[in-house]
Amino acid sequence: MTRSRITGIAFHVPERVVTNADLEKLMDTSDAWIVERTGIRERRFVEPGVGPADLAAEAAKKALADAGRRVEDVDFIVFATITRDYMFPGSGALLQERLGLSTVGAMDIHNACSGFVYALATADAFVRVGQYRCVLVVGAEVQSTGLNLSTAGRDMAVLFGDGAGVAVVEPSADESRGVLSCVMHAEGAHAKDLWAEAPTSLVMGRFTQQMLDEGRGYPQMNGRQVFKHATTRFPEVILESLERAGHTLDEVALIVPHQANKRIGDAVAERLGVPPAKVFQNIERYGNTTAASIPIALADARDQGLVKPGDLVVLAAFGGGFAWAASVVRW
Ligand code: UT7
């Protein structure tokens, strides 16, 4: 079977920068608390009317240029998001239309923070069996319109940002380079430790006035529980993906984790016994962009010269589901 490879990567974030000082005006929080507990200094928010498919379209054009491909070369889209433009259809179909891709197939993956790695694994499988030859793997989120930007929602509101990252995945011309392994896990027993209850198919009208009044459409999180599981599952899944690929931690040039909290990234480095610089973090500038955070971080790291041809890179994520996943890539 042919190996798949990321041949192009790029990201796009909205222009509007929202600093911690901006959030201080909306809720009882402080720059000092946010920086100390999360490492975040600023994030980007869209202007009203902009959805994940819009952000993804911009990132996709840049990623295709990076791969040296034209839009017409794309033969499939895998779109990871939990903030899709509408309940249905999926944002993949909207992106397909935005790019003018006629009847090219498109699917959504609704898997929270691990969505991009699940999407990459899906594209990898399609390319390896020869079904598709130029797949857009998208992570895009507009979290800002779904946050409770008041003191009642401050634990979640300070964490999230908007953005999109896209990878172009194609057959690898060089067998030694490309996606070497993908591993995926989930534990639905923790579904309600990180979730948004509504809109829900369980009630008529998907939303009741009571649910609206109680803010049950906003994301809810048991922060400490998420933190505890994340710091265990990240190292575990990184080592599992390396074992599956037949490589060891000391061969890794860079780990690119989902950007959940700088303290989680630091704890992952510590538990693995690797220098903090080996775990790439840019949460300071973009916050947690859920499914978009890995492709944004990977593109950022590559653009900074931290990912070079031949480097062994591990992408790893943990989040809602709980679901967690990792992929080893020879760049
Ligand atoms: O993408 C995956 C999803 N999310 C994550 O991975 C996040 C995982 N969890 C975390 O990162 C952390 O649990 C948080 C950053 C969310 C919270 O940090 P923490 O150190 O666990 O704080 P805490 O929830 O224990 O709250 C400590 C205090 C509380 O006040 P009291 O009860 O001690 O008086 C909170 O009410 O901080 C208060 N607090 C805030 N204060 C100022 C909570 N949020 C804020 C805020 N600003 N934004």
Side-chain angles (χ1 to χ4, degrees), residues 41 75 124 261 304 322:
R41 291 182 188 277
D75 58 5
D124 172 59
N261 181 327
Q304 290 182 37
F322 291 155

Side-chain angles (χ1 to χ4, degrees), residues 171-219:
S172 179
D174 173 352
E175 257 306 288
S176 68
R177 294 175 69 190
V179 177
L180 306 186
S181 72
C182 294
V183 293
M184 293 171 273
H185 294 284
E187 193 177 20
H190 290 286
K192 295 183 181 177
D193 281 326
L194 181 51
W195 72 318
E197 185 184 356
T200 168
S201 309
L202 277 59
V203 301
M204 280 308 289
R206 303 266 154 89
F207 233 124
T208 60
Q209 189 57 47
Q210 190 187 350
M211 288 171 124
L212 204 56
D213 295 343
E214 292 171 2
R216 283 153 68 187
Y218 294 123

